[in-house]
Amino acid sequence: MFDVTHAPEALAADRQTRRGVAFKQKTLKSAIGCSGVGLHTGKKISMTLKPAPIGTGIVFNRTDAGTKTGRIPARFDAVVDTRLCTCVGNADGLSVGTIEHLMSAIAGMGIDNLIVDIDGPEVPVMDGSAAPFVFLIECAGVAEQDAPRRAVKVLKSVSVIDGGILARLDPADDDFTIAFEIDFANPLIGRQTFEMTLPLCDGPDAGAYRTDVASARTFGFLEDVERLNKMGLALGGSLDNAVVISGNKVLNEEGLRFEDECVRHKALDALGDLYLAGAPLIGRFSGSKSGHAHSNQLLRALFADADAWTFVELDDHHALHQAEWRRAANA
Ligand SMILES: [Zn+2]
């Protein structure tokens, strides 16, 4: 079903040199902020990415919470809505939506610990891609912390099937691969496939993610934008933050950033949504026409089965080997 491109030789060589090397947790060197409109609310929102201690994970903090709890962990089990974006919420009823592009940048840049101060219910949409967030992380600088990086290793295949839609996680040796396929009746998009592998040691030089994926923008069809606007949704949506397609035309003057920008954006979304595992995954994700809801259901299915995953420390390849043995024992 997928056009499988094998991991380049360079990646295999890289794996060899990584054996026994410590991969430290990472945060930012300094705080950095941005502001912009929320895609769905259309409101101006300010956000600051702040360094966080070892073991924090990625945590949103609503600075406008008042007497309520503003803290919302960026985790799969805090997801409260996946209809138009991925939205996480807490017990006090506060939420942050459209987190997927920011989460994708954080995952792609290999950041483990971060507090995201935000003064509204939605991450600013910026240009509709993850590139502005990658830029912020690069400007702030990445700092290594004195603790090993922890990953979630997939030990057993889990899948979510919804009609003709599929989302699946399979075990893999060392890295995380995303393979995505879309198939639209629209003649401009049609069927597109894309595959990327993220070596887990990557930090500030997140190579292929930065050049091939981060700048792919969200996309929509003109008729859907009009329908959503009538429902009071996508109010911040414009040609500045989404590719808008009408029939076989791209309405954006500058055209597409990649010929297959749509499927690259779906891979970007999947990476962000799957980083809600709370740690990088070691495994292979296959998505066929899947969306935010399926990625979340997939993580819930993975963590519901204690035999399907294990934590590994990335500087401890004994742990990796143990996982291999466990997988072999389960087979
Ligand atoms: Zn998206």
Side-chain angles (χ1 to χ4, degrees), residues 239-275:
L239 293 171
D240 292 332
N241 53 41
V243 174
V244 181
I245 295 162
S246 179
N248 61 358
K249 276 205 193 78
V250 174
L251 300 186
N252 308 60
E253 233 171 71
E254 72 280 15
L256 294 172
R257 292 179 178 175
F258 304 96
E259 204 182 327
D260 57 353
E261 187 167 355
C262 296
V263 74
R264 287 174 195 247
H265 184 80
K266 295 294 284 184
L268 181 161
D269 274 345
L271 176 64
D273 285 339
L274 294 171
Y275 206 51

Side-chain angles (χ1 to χ4, degrees), residues 84 98 100-101 128 216-219 265-266 268-269 292:
L84 293 168
T98 324
E100 56 272 16
H101 304 162
R217 293 161 296 174
T218 194
F219 59 96
H265 184 80
K266 295 294 284 184
L268 181 161
D269 274 345
H292 305 303

Side-chain angles (χ1 to χ4, degrees), residues 37-43 84 98 122 125 218 220-222 224-239 241-242 244:
V37 295
L39 177 63
H40 294 294
T41 54
K43 285 190 181 136
L84 293 168
T98 324
E122 201 179 4
V125 66
T218 194
F221 300 101
L222 183 63
D224 292 337
V225 177
E226 287 167 345
R227 183 174 54 83
L228 289 170
N229 283 170
K230 274 188 196 140
M231 293 162 68
L233 297 163
L235 295 175
S238 77
L239 293 171
N241 53 41
V244 181

Side-chain angles (χ1 to χ4, degrees), residues 30-90:
S30 59
I32 192 160
C34 69
S35 60
V37 295
L39 177 63
H40 294 294
T41 54
K43 285 190 181 136
K44 191 182 168 209
I45 291 157
S46 295
M47 182 175 84
T48 306
L49 310 181
K50 289 162 48 178
I54 289 163
T56 305
I58 313 301
V59 178
F60 287 94
N61 178 40
R62 284 278 301 265
T63 55
D64 58 339
T67 55
K68 292 182 176 175
T69 306
R71 212 177 148 86
I72 309 166
R75 282 181 49 93
F76 71 96
D77 49 2
V79 170
V80 292
D81 195 350
T82 52
R83 282 169 299 178
L84 293 168
C85 64
T86 295
C87 179
V88 286
N90 66 18

